[in-house]
């Protein structure tokens, strides 16, 4: 202790230094830490969700959500929360239709497998064998390897990307023009070696054309007749009517602005409109139940098994939530040996998710109208698996890992703050930015800190915020604190003794 400073004075200064750190840590844990509220033993999951979901909407700044549960292969419960259209003060209900985005791919897969059951096509046929109304563009890789199965499982080497959308009052480009690369998206042709996972919207546009060329029917009419109507999905449609337009959930970008209604040249990749109960009936149709067969008579049980069978290992973002891609679905094997099947729907202004355990008849569907809702989805899924006594799924494990960077940055910030505080208390640090002590090292640290912060706010934050806006905000706050404390450390070098600056 330095002369003239009492132990009481020193303790008081340390307490003053620690107080804001403890307060910040407590607030961080409360706002960002464990957001899962345990389901009590005497509380049903619906009752829990009725209390929990409104809090999540507020936490993540999401306008509205609809949720449905499947148990024993049946739709057993649904409810809705928040607002479908905040500007019009229109509440979300279980009957509110959403554009369900890539859930459409799962429905499309059922439509394609219906043709397989009817011996119109085979899964291992080259898709070009059945495309009669469109001239396939030349490609670096062989079209013969672009099979129906590979297109369904995103492993045909086809490109990623989406087609340009136009206002509902305008006519979008024809499907065949889009497939040829004349609608703001890539041409549907193999640009990589077929066999590896590569998510492809143009691939599902090809499947739309396949259905039309094989059946001679409009894609939407075929899916309605063969899949939607037989499964009782009465609110599901591809047709935008005035009534649908007035009832549809308004979608919102990350910044909260609303998304204008639009449509594009292809329906199969993501243009289905449906309520949460419609999707729950679809999910239930693929599960075990005591009264009806898997497939509910629309597809044979073995055909549904083919759809759910792993076809190719997933990579990247998709690998965080699944082991493999099936046909129009994603799958993983749980710790108890059961298979989980899921799909996500994401588009401008929305995130949706369904998860099901076909062997137990359990399932959950979550629809939202905001790009800020991915974290909400994972919190609800975690509550579902906890209450149903199901094994942990990859999505909830990923949820925990993505928070790690924030805790690391908070730990670094706290360490720097304590180091500075200790130096100030002991007199080992003083304001001397031009000090000769470790000047090159200090300049390098300052430059790296400022550069890192600049890269985050100009590039990194936008990328992370698209998927995880709340976590992106916390990363930005924690990183800013680290850089600010690092700059203070540089400006207040050690006055003497050994050790790093």
């Amino acid at each position: 202790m330095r002369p003239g400073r009492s132990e009481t004075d020193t303790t008081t200064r340390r307490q003053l230094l620690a107080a804001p750190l403890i307060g910040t840590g407590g607030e961080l844990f409360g706002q960002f830490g464990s957001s899962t509220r345990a389901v009590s033993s005497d509380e049903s999951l619906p009752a829990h969700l009725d209390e929990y979901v409104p809090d999540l909407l507020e936490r993540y700044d999401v306008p509205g959500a609809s949720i449905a549960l499947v148990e024993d292969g049946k739709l057993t419960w649904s409810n809705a929360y928040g607002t479908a259209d905040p500007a019009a003060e229109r509440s979300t209900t279980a009957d509110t239709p959403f554009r369900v985005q890539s859930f459409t791919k799962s429905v499309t897969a059922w439509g394609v497998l219906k043709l397989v059951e009817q011996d119109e096509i085979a899964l291992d046929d080259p898709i070009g064998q059945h495309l009669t109304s469109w001239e396939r563009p030349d490609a670096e890789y062989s079209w013969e390897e672009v099979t129906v199965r590979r297109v369904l499982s995103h492993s045909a080497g086809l490109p990623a990307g989406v087609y340009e959308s136009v206002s509902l009052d305008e006519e979008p480009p024809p499907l065949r023009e889009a497939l040829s690369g004349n609608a703001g998206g890539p041409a549907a042709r193999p640009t990589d070696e077929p066999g590896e996972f590569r998510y492809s919207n143009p691939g599902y546009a090809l499947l739309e054309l396949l259905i039309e060329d094989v059946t001679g029917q409009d894609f939407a009419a075929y899916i309605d007749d063969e899949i939607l109507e037989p499964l009782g999905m009465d609110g599901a449609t591809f047709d935008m009517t005035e009534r649908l337009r007035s009832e549809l959930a308004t979608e919102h970008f990350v910044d909260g602005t609303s998304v204008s209604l639009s449509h594009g040249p292809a329906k199969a990749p993501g243009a289905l409109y449906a309520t949460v109960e419609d999707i729950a009936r679809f999910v239930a149709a693929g599960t075990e139940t005591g009264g009806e067969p898997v497939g509910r008579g629309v597809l044979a049980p073995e055909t549904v098994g083919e759809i759910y069978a792993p076809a190719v290992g997933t990579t990247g973002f998709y690998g965080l939530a699944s082991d493999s891609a099936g046909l129009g679905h994603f799958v993983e094997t749980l710790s108890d040996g059961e298979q989980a099947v899921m799909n996500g729907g994401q588009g401008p202004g929305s995130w949706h998710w369904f998860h099901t355990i076909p062997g137990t008849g359990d399932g959950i569907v979550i629809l939202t109208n905001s790009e800020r809702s991915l974290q909400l989805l994972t919190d609800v899924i975690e509550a579902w698996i906890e209450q149903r006594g199901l094994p942990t799924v990859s999505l909830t494990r990923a949820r925990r890992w993505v928070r790690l960077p924030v805790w690391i940055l908070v730990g670094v910030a706290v360490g720097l703050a304590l180091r500075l505080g200790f130096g100030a208390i002991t007199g080992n640090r003083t304001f001397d930015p031009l000090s000769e002590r470790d000047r090159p090292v200090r300049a390098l640290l300052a430059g790296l800190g400022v550069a890192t912060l600049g890269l985050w706010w100009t590039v990194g934050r936008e990328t992370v915020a698209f998927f995880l806006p709340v976590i992106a905000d916390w990363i930005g706050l924690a990183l800013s604190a680290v850089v600010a404390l690092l700059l203070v450390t540089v400006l207040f070098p050690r006055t003497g003794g050994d050790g790093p600056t």
Side-chain angles (χ1 to χ4, degrees):
M1 185 185 303
R2 295 180 63 197
R5 180 175 296 150
S6 70
E7 183 174 348
T8 301
D9 291 337
T10 302
T11 302
T12 301
R13 292 190 60 175
R14 287 176 180 169
Q15 290 172 339
L16 290 173
L17 176 65
L21 293 174
I22 294 171
T24 301
E27 180 181 356
L28 180 63
F29 188 83
Q31 294 294 321
F32 166 78
S34 178
S35 58
T36 302
R37 182 182 299 165
V39 186
S40 65
S41 58
D42 58 349
E43 182 183 30
S44 69
L45 181 57
H48 175 73
L49 293 175
D50 284 344
E51 182 180 358
Y52 185 37
V53 175
D55 290 345
L56 294 179
L57 294 179
E58 183 177 359
R59 170 190 288 269
Y60 298 125
D61 195 18
V62 174
S66 290
I67 302 175
L69 298 176
V70 173
E71 297 178 28
D72 191 29
K74 301 181 184 69
L75 167 63
T76 57
W77 174 88
S78 66
N79 205 355
Y81 311 89
T83 54
D85 185 354
E89 298 183 346
R90 178 162 51 87
S91 297
T92 312
T93 73
D95 295 324
T96 298
F98 291 72
R99 180 169 178 170
V100 295
Q101 305 295 348
S102 288
F103 285 3
T104 314
K105 293 182 175 72
S106 298
V107 175
T108 297
W110 275 54
V112 172
L113 268 292
K114 187 73 174 179
L115 296 177
V116 173
E117 282 194 343
Q118 296 167 346
D119 292 326
E120 296 287 347
I121 63 174
L123 282 173
D124 294 317
D125 286 347
I127 194 170
Q129 177 180 323
H130 302 286
L131 301 178
T132 58
S133 66
W134 175 68
E135 185 176 349
R136 289 167 289 157
D138 292 336
E140 181 180 353
Y141 297 93
S142 172
W143 273 99
E144 293 300 305
E145 299 298 318
V146 182
T147 64
V148 176
R149 185 191 305 274
R150 281 177 168 166
V151 177
L152 283 165
S153 62
H154 300 284
S155 58
L158 298 168
V162 296
Y163 298 119
E164 182 179 356
S165 294
V166 298
S167 166
L168 290 180
D169 300 323
E170 300 179 50
E171 191 68 26
L175 175 62
R176 290 158 187 80
E177 285 294 305
L179 291 170
S180 297
N182 300 320
R189 57 183 166 195
T191 55
D192 285 295
E193 183 72 43
E196 298 294 324
F197 177 82
R198 184 184 184 187
Y199 197 86
S200 176
N201 284 299
Y204 272 73
L206 274 181
L207 293 171
E208 180 175 338
L209 183 62
L210 167 75
I211 287 174
E212 293 188 342
D213 282 354
V214 170
T215 66
Q217 289 183 260
D218 172 73
F219 168 80
Y222 169 82
I223 293 295
D224 187 62
D225 291 344
E226 300 293 337
I227 308 299
L228 305 181
E229 186 176 339
L231 291 180
M233 299 171 65
D234 299 333
T237 182
F238 290 96
D239 299 326
M240 176 57 71
T241 63
E242 284 301 317
R243 178 179 177 180
L244 176 62
R245 195 167 182 168
S246 67
E247 296 177 348
L248 194 65
T250 300
E251 298 168 322
H252 297 82
F253 293 116
V254 168
D255 64 4
T257 57
S258 60
V259 179
S260 300
L261 291 175
S262 63
H263 59 170
K267 296 181 176 68
L272 181 66
Y273 301 97
T275 69
V276 72
E277 292 190 355
D278 291 324
I279 301 303
R281 291 187 181 96
F282 174 75
V283 168
T287 66
E288 296 280 358
T289 181
E292 299 178 85
V294 172
R296 303 302 185 264
V298 176
L299 293 178
E302 56 268 23
T303 301
V304 177
E306 185 83 50
I307 290 174
Y308 291 168
V312 61
T314 48
T315 58
F317 175 79
Y318 300 92
L320 293 175
S322 64
D323 298 333
S324 308
L327 307 184
H329 299 71
F330 293 91
V331 297
E332 69 169 314
T333 301
L334 303 180
S335 59
D336 63 356
E338 288 284 355
Q339 183 187 59
V341 176
M342 74 290 298
N343 201 3
Q346 193 282 319
S350 63
W351 273 101
H352 315 300
W353 195 266
F354 72 72
H355 223 100
T356 177
I357 316 295
T360 67
D362 287 292
I364 186 169
V365 181
I366 312 164
L367 308 181
T368 76
N369 59 348
S370 172
E371 288 180 347
R372 298 182 62 87
S373 53
L374 181 57
Q375 292 159 265
L376 179 149
L377 301 182
T378 61
D379 288 350
V380 173
I381 293 293
E382 186 154 21
W384 170 64
I385 64 174
E386 178 184 317
Q387 196 274 345
R388 294 297 293 165
L390 302 169
T392 300
V393 299
S394 294
L395 183 69
T396 56
R397 285 196 296 270
R399 166 188 178 273
R400 296 160 187 162
W401 280 107
V402 296
R403 298 172 183 230
L404 184 60
V406 179
W407 290 117
I408 291 173
L409 288 170
V410 169
V412 172
V414 170
L416 286 171
L418 291 173
R419 190 163 177 259
L420 281 168
F422 180 77
I425 291 171
T426 61
N428 288 336
R429 289 187 178 276
T430 187
F431 180 73
D432 190 2
L434 300 180
S435 170
E436 294 290 338
R437 182 180 175 84
D438 298 324
R439 182 184 291 179
V441 174
R442 291 190 292 118
L444 178 62
L445 288 174
L448 287 174
V450 171
T452 300
L453 192 61
L455 285 172
W456 167 254
W457 287 109
T458 57
V459 179
R461 184 186 183 282
E462 182 176 357
T463 301
V464 175
F466 181 77
F467 296 102
L468 303 165
V470 176
I471 285 181
D473 292 342
W474 280 111
I475 289 177
L477 178 63
L479 182 60
S480 298
V482 168
V483 173
L485 289 166
L486 185 64
L487 293 177
V488 172
T489 301
V490 168
L491 296 175
F492 284 77
R494 287 170 59 86
T495 57
D498 297 328
T501 298

